[in-house]
């Protein structure tokens, strides 16, 4: 076999190239010559595979397990990039507690205008806390 055919076999088997254009650039010949060499190598039985109908790619037959080390799918992100929703949940829970306690004080001290006015003001403050906590939790980016 010629040196170019050896190099072509190396590009296909070892470098896992499938693009005939890239193979022609690596070998320094035009694409038609690469296709002719591929046909010869297929006839000789050196390579097993097929050239696509459009003549742009060569695909080997058979699947091989990659020799490359596997990369974990989930990479750990730095701690400073993690978004904690705990402060938002605590603020929202505190706001809900203020609303409930204020409502109960309205029910218990029914008729006392001063306490009812303060309780209504506290309900508004509780609702603001609840909204702020929900906003903080909602800012978390979805994956």
């Amino acid at each position: 076999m010629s040196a170019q055919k050896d190099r072509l076999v190396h590009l296909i088997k070892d470098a896992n190239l499938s693009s005939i254009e890239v193979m022609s650039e690596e070998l320094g010949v035009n694409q038609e010559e690469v296709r002719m060499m591929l046909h010869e190598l297929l006839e000789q039985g050196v390579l097993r595979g097929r050239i696509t109908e459009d003549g742009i790619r060569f695909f080997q037959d058979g699947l091989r397990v990659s020799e490359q080390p596997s990369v974990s799918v989930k990479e750990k992100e730095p701690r400073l990039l993690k978004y904690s929703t705990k402060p938002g949940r605590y603020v929202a829970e505190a706001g809900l507690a203020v609303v409930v306690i204020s409502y109960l004080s309205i029910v218990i001290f029914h008729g006392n205008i001063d306490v009812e006015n303060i309780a209504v003001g506290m309900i508004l403050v509780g609702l603001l806390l609840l909204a702020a906590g929900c906003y903080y939790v909602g800012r978390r980016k979805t994956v």
Side-chain angles (χ1 to χ4, degrees), residues 81-83 112 114 118 137:
L81 293 179
K82 288 188 177 181
Y83 187 79
N112 188 345
D114 292 332
I118 292 172
V137 171

Short mmCIF file of all heavy atoms in Angstrom, two decimals, residues 81-83 112 114 118 137:
data_model
loop_
_atom_site.label_atom_id
_atom_site.label_comp_id
_atom_site.label_asym_id
_atom_site.label_seq_id
_atom_site.Cartn_x
_atom_site.Cartn_y
_atom_site.Cartn_z
N LEU A 81 -21.46 29.82 43.20
CA LEU A 81 -22.45 29.93 42.15
C LEU A 81 -23.78 29.26 42.50
O LEU A 81 -24.76 29.42 41.79
CB LEU A 81 -21.91 29.32 40.85
CG LEU A 81 -20.76 30.06 40.21
CD1 LEU A 81 -20.31 29.34 38.96
CD2 LEU A 81 -21.16 31.48 39.87
N LYS A 82 -23.79 28.48 43.57
CA LYS A 82 -25.03 27.82 43.97
C LYS A 82 -25.97 28.85 44.57
O LYS A 82 -25.56 29.73 45.32
CB LYS A 82 -24.75 26.71 44.99
CG LYS A 82 -24.09 25.52 44.36
CD LYS A 82 -24.01 24.39 45.33
CE LYS A 82 -23.39 23.19 44.65
NZ LYS A 82 -23.30 22.05 45.53
N TYR A 83 -27.22 28.74 44.23
CA TYR A 83 -28.22 29.69 44.69
C TYR A 83 -29.03 29.02 45.79
O TYR A 83 -29.69 28.02 45.57
CB TYR A 83 -29.13 30.08 43.52
CG TYR A 83 -30.09 31.18 43.84
CD1 TYR A 83 -29.69 32.50 43.86
CD2 TYR A 83 -31.42 30.90 44.13
CE1 TYR A 83 -30.57 33.51 44.15
CE2 TYR A 83 -32.31 31.91 44.42
CZ TYR A 83 -31.89 33.21 44.43
OH TYR A 83 -32.76 34.22 44.72
N ASN A 112 -61.81 46.43 69.49
CA ASN A 112 -60.79 47.37 69.93
C ASN A 112 -60.15 47.97 68.67
O ASN A 112 -59.33 47.34 68.00
CB ASN A 112 -59.75 46.66 70.79
CG ASN A 112 -58.78 47.62 71.44
OD1 ASN A 112 -58.70 48.78 71.03
ND2 ASN A 112 -58.06 47.13 72.44
N ASP A 114 -57.95 50.39 68.10
CA ASP A 114 -56.50 50.60 68.06
C ASP A 114 -55.76 49.32 67.71
O ASP A 114 -54.85 49.31 66.86
CB ASP A 114 -56.01 51.13 69.41
CG ASP A 114 -56.52 52.54 69.70
OD1 ASP A 114 -56.75 53.28 68.71
OD2 ASP A 114 -56.66 52.89 70.88
N ILE A 118 -53.62 48.42 64.16
CA ILE A 118 -52.24 47.93 64.17
C ILE A 118 -52.16 46.57 63.48
O ILE A 118 -51.24 46.29 62.69
CB ILE A 118 -51.71 47.84 65.62
CG1 ILE A 118 -51.56 49.25 66.19
CG2 ILE A 118 -50.39 47.09 65.67
CD1 ILE A 118 -51.23 49.29 67.66
N VAL A 137 -37.15 33.61 46.13
CA VAL A 137 -37.15 32.20 45.72
C VAL A 137 -37.33 32.09 44.22
O VAL A 137 -36.71 31.27 43.55
CB VAL A 137 -38.26 31.41 46.47
CG1 VAL A 137 -38.42 30.03 45.90
CG2 VAL A 137 -37.94 31.33 47.96
#
